[in-house]
Amino acid sequence: MLEFHSADGSGSSTHYRTGDWEVVRVEEYPTAIPTNEFEAIVVGYCKYVPVETPLIPMPKAQVSIDSFGDESAYQEFLQSEAVKDYTLV
């Protein structure tokens, strides 16, 4: 399983690595109510398996006008300080 870290202290994920937990079993239970919004309940069982893996920097998220659905919101984003954290496409 992947594990995420904030290397810059911002609280947002900036790096990832392979984590210390391994999925060992998965059980799936169909819901008994046909109109339920969920098709099934899935339970995963994990075990702790310590590994030594490096932190890998995450690429910047890609943003385009389609991410906003509205030209004015996109232009406002382009003028904001947050734009430096994204790759424009």
Side-chain angles (χ1 to χ4, degrees):
M1 296 180 76
L2 293 178
E3 184 177 295
F4 298 91
H5 296 273
S6 174
D8 63 3
S10 66
S12 60
S13 295
T14 58
H15 291 69
Y16 69 96
R17 72 178 190 97
T18 300
D20 296 321
W21 291 94
E22 181 180 305
V23 177
V24 293
R25 187 173 90 224
V26 176
E27 294 178 0
E28 184 174 351
Y29 304 97
T31 56
I33 305 167
T35 58
N36 194 330
E37 80 176 278
F38 301 105
E39 295 177 17
I41 296 169
V42 179
V43 178
Y45 296 86
C46 301
K47 72 177 179 177
Y48 183 72
V49 181
V51 293
E52 292 284 330
T53 57
L55 284 175
I56 301 166
M58 294 175 69
K60 289 185 175 182
Q62 295 185 346
V63 175
S64 70
I65 191 167
D66 296 332
S67 304
F68 294 85
D70 156 317
E71 174 77 25
S72 63
Y74 180 62
Q75 291 303 321
E76 185 178 322
F77 168 77
L78 291 177
Q79 302 304 314
S80 74
E81 188 69 21
V83 74
K84 69 179 178 9
D85 297 325
Y86 297 88
T87 300
L88 303 176
V89 290

